Amino acid sequence: MRAVIVAVGVAFLVSLFGTPIAIKLFTRLKAGQPIRSDGPAMHQGKKGTPTMGGVVFILATVIAYVAGHLALTSLPDQQIAQVEPTITALVLLGLMVFSGAVGFLDDFLKVRKRNSAGLNKRGKLLGQILVGAVFGVIALWFPSTMTDGSGLATNTETVGSTTLSFIRDIDALEVSKVGAVIIFIFVVMGATNGVNLTDGLDGLATGASVMVLAAYALIAFWQYRHWCADPNYTQPYCYEVRDPLEIALIAGAAAGACVGFLWWNTSPARIFMGDTGALGLGGLIAGMAMSTRTILLLPIIGGLFVIITMSVVIQIISFKTTGKRVFRMSPLQHHFELAGWSEVNIVVRFWIIAGIGVAIALGLFYSEFLANMT
């Protein structure tokens, strides 16, 4: 627990004090956010606000991970099986960094061209597929080599699984490794685009991501305390995952980094996360679902992202089939803007929706544990 707390604190402080530096730097580089000409008219006042702020909390998360591992070295011997960096950390941080890199390229092109076009849809899609495929393969082809004192393997789990999962793996829904990678690619695409579409109002995606990441930190830490590979855990019901403390540490660090960033990103935003941050967070959240074996729980934990994504899908289908729009504008947050809601009201109310989704998901997760312990 101490390592997770250290990681959260370091990430928060690095992001809180690093964001003003990024604001000055990106302002000096004239890396201002171009605004869509067909967007809400009130957004034109945001033109020129520095973007690519996601670089700050991605970097803060990586720094905090290192700090958390330094804290792990002081744990008792029987608890230091995860002191060395793991494949789990490589997958989770890799998903965040490289998904963020795809977004950074998009942001860079927007700033350079001085318009909101950025990277074309095909290029962004190929980037998401490549990131999902590479880290999906790593997650499924490299089992743990954790051993006990006699040298016998005690945990041969991979980061990902070849079975679909809800609260845990569902044995009846097993697929091949190739099939599992393909499924994960779709999860990465869904999560990255979901966060990206939600990032339309000051602080909206950041605040929602804090809740989702905090939920995964709680889930992973609970799995660590009830871990099948823990020789000190004697209860019959446990979680077959790989490196749950690593997952909790990274999720907590990312949540702390987002809170520090939110200080500057809340309305009126001094800086935007850009696609750099949105895609980075989406990639990490996808990795969290895979590594905690909660793939099918993700749509509930990230309920707000699903609702906003579906508003875009519904709008497109409706317009192409009937020529009529269901919403005044999509994504959904812009519909309410045009309906006269203030930006702050929309953000707070959407945060409440995000919190409800997280609460329901955590309730389902814990109730499953209680049901099997009785």
Side-chain angles (χ1 to χ4, degrees):
M1 186 65 176
R2 177 169 50 190
V4 177
I5 293 173
V6 168
V8 172
V10 170
F12 170 73
L13 292 174
V14 171
S15 188
L16 179 66
F17 294 107
T19 303
I21 298 173
I23 293 171
K24 293 179 181 178
L25 176 61
F26 291 139
T27 299
R28 188 176 304 167
L29 294 174
K30 298 181 179 180
Q33 175 70 47
I35 304 298
R36 290 169 47 191
S37 58
D38 59 344
M42 61 282 289
H43 284 204
Q44 294 304 314
K46 300 180 180 185
K47 187 175 182 180
T49 302
T51 187
M52 296 188 282
V55 170
V56 178
F57 57 73
I58 291 175
L59 181 61
T61 301
V62 174
I63 293 173
Y65 171 76
V66 175
H69 263 261
L70 292 177
L72 277 175
T73 59
S74 62
L75 291 175
D77 289 344
Q78 67 270 22
Q79 292 180 295
I80 63 172
Q82 292 178 304
V83 167
E84 297 297 327
T86 63
I87 292 294
T88 302
L90 172 65
V91 170
L92 295 179
L93 293 177
L95 282 165
M96 188 180 199
V97 171
F98 285 95
S99 294
V102 175
F104 182 86
L105 178 58
D106 187 36
D107 288 332
F108 176 77
L109 292 175
K110 289 177 182 177
V111 170
R112 185 177 182 181
K113 295 177 181 178
R114 300 298 177 187
N115 63 55
S116 59
L119 187 64
N120 62 47
K121 292 181 180 179
R122 181 178 297 179
K124 190 181 294 187
L125 182 64
L126 288 174
Q128 293 168 338
I129 291 173
L130 180 60
V131 171
V134 169
F135 289 101
V137 168
I138 294 173
L140 285 158
W141 265 269
F142 293 88
S144 173
T145 56
M146 186 183 300
T147 59
D148 59 18
S150 65
L152 297 176
T154 59
N155 181 11
T156 57
E157 295 288 338
T158 53
V159 180
S161 173
T162 55
T163 59
L164 289 177
S165 56
F166 182 55
I167 305 298
R168 58 179 64 246
D169 286 339
I170 304 172
D171 293 336
L173 299 178
E174 186 169 4
V175 296
S176 65
K177 285 188 176 182
V178 173
V181 171
I182 293 172
I183 290 171
F184 182 61
I185 290 172
F186 280 104
V187 174
V188 169
M189 291 168 59
T192 52
N193 287 307
V195 178
N196 197 21
L197 290 171
T198 303
D199 182 33
L201 300 180
D202 295 351
L204 177 57
T206 309
S209 296
V210 169
M211 298 181 208
V212 171
L213 291 166
Y216 275 118
L218 291 172
I219 287 172
F221 192 75
W222 186 261
Q223 291 175 332
Y224 172 65
R225 296 299 299 270
H226 304 85
W227 190 23
C228 296
D230 183 355
N232 298 313
Y233 184 70
T234 58
Q235 295 294 331
Y237 193 70
C238 58
Y239 294 95
E240 295 180 353
V241 295
R242 174 173 176 169
D243 310 321
L245 186 57
E246 287 276 84
I247 303 168
L249 192 154
I250 294 170
C258 285
V259 172
F261 181 76
L262 185 61
W263 182 275
W264 306 99
N265 182 235
T266 192
S267 184
R270 296 275 306 280
I271 188 171
F272 299 140
M273 69 166 67
D275 280 20
T276 304
L279 269 61
L281 288 173
L284 177 60
I285 289 170
M288 289 290 160
M290 174 179 62
S291 59
T292 57
R293 311 294 169 86
T294 56
I295 290 285
L296 297 180
L297 191 64
L298 176 58
I300 302 175
I301 294 180
L304 178 65
F305 302 140
V306 174
I307 291 170
I308 289 177
T309 301
M310 288 308 300
S311 73
V312 176
V313 174
I314 291 169
Q315 186 85 322
I316 292 172
I317 292 175
S318 177
F319 187 74
K320 287 189 174 182
T321 56
T322 69
K324 297 180 180 180
R325 292 180 172 85
V326 177
F327 307 104
R328 301 183 185 190
M329 182 178 289
S330 65
L332 188 61
Q333 60 269 31
H334 298 320
H335 167 81
F336 289 105
E337 277 190 291
L338 296 181
W341 290 23
S342 71
E343 182 171 10
V344 172
N345 276 345
I346 297 169
V347 170
V348 172
R349 288 168 181 172
F350 276 36
W351 280 352
I352 292 171
I353 294 172
I356 291 171
V358 165
I360 292 172
L362 289 176
L364 290 171
F365 180 84
Y366 187 60
S367 63
E368 190 266 355
F369 176 81
L370 289 180
N372 285 278
M373 288 295 288
T374 56

